[in-house]
Amino acid sequence: MTTVRVTLKLFATYRRHLPPGSVENACDLDVPAGTPVSDLLTRFGVPHEPGDSVVLVNGRDASPEQALVAGDVVAAFPAIAGG
């Protein structure tokens, strides 16, 4: 199975889901090629339900089923309600 290296960045309260040894708010990970974004987030217990979280891949909105490729940067943070 081929693996690819991606970066996971978590912000605000989601930072607590980063694995030990993470630097500031990010970690580099090797995942199987084609891993869906939702699988990566589930692996670390990061909430990712629509409306509860904002999830980006390379700075753009990401669907839960988007397949990850080498060099992708996945960022997640809690959605903030405003008025």
Side-chain angles (χ1 to χ4, degrees):
M1 177 178 287
T2 303
T3 61
V4 295
R5 180 149 286 214
V6 299
T7 300
L8 176 62
K9 292 185 174 186
L10 301 178
F11 298 92
T13 58
Y14 288 2
R15 290 175 70 163
R16 65 186 155 101
H17 295 284
L18 285 166
S22 297
V23 177
E24 295 186 18
N25 68 325
C27 65
D28 291 327
L29 304 162
D30 292 319
V31 299
T35 294
V37 170
S38 61
D39 286 7
L40 176 67
L41 297 175
T42 297
R43 175 177 162 189
F44 291 97
V46 179
H48 54 277
E49 294 299 318
D52 291 339
S53 300
V54 176
V55 179
L56 308 172
V57 174
N58 302 325
R60 297 176 183 234
D61 284 334
S63 70
E65 48 291 320
Q66 181 173 336
L68 295 172
V69 298
D72 278 347
V73 177
V74 179
F77 51 93
I80 299 173

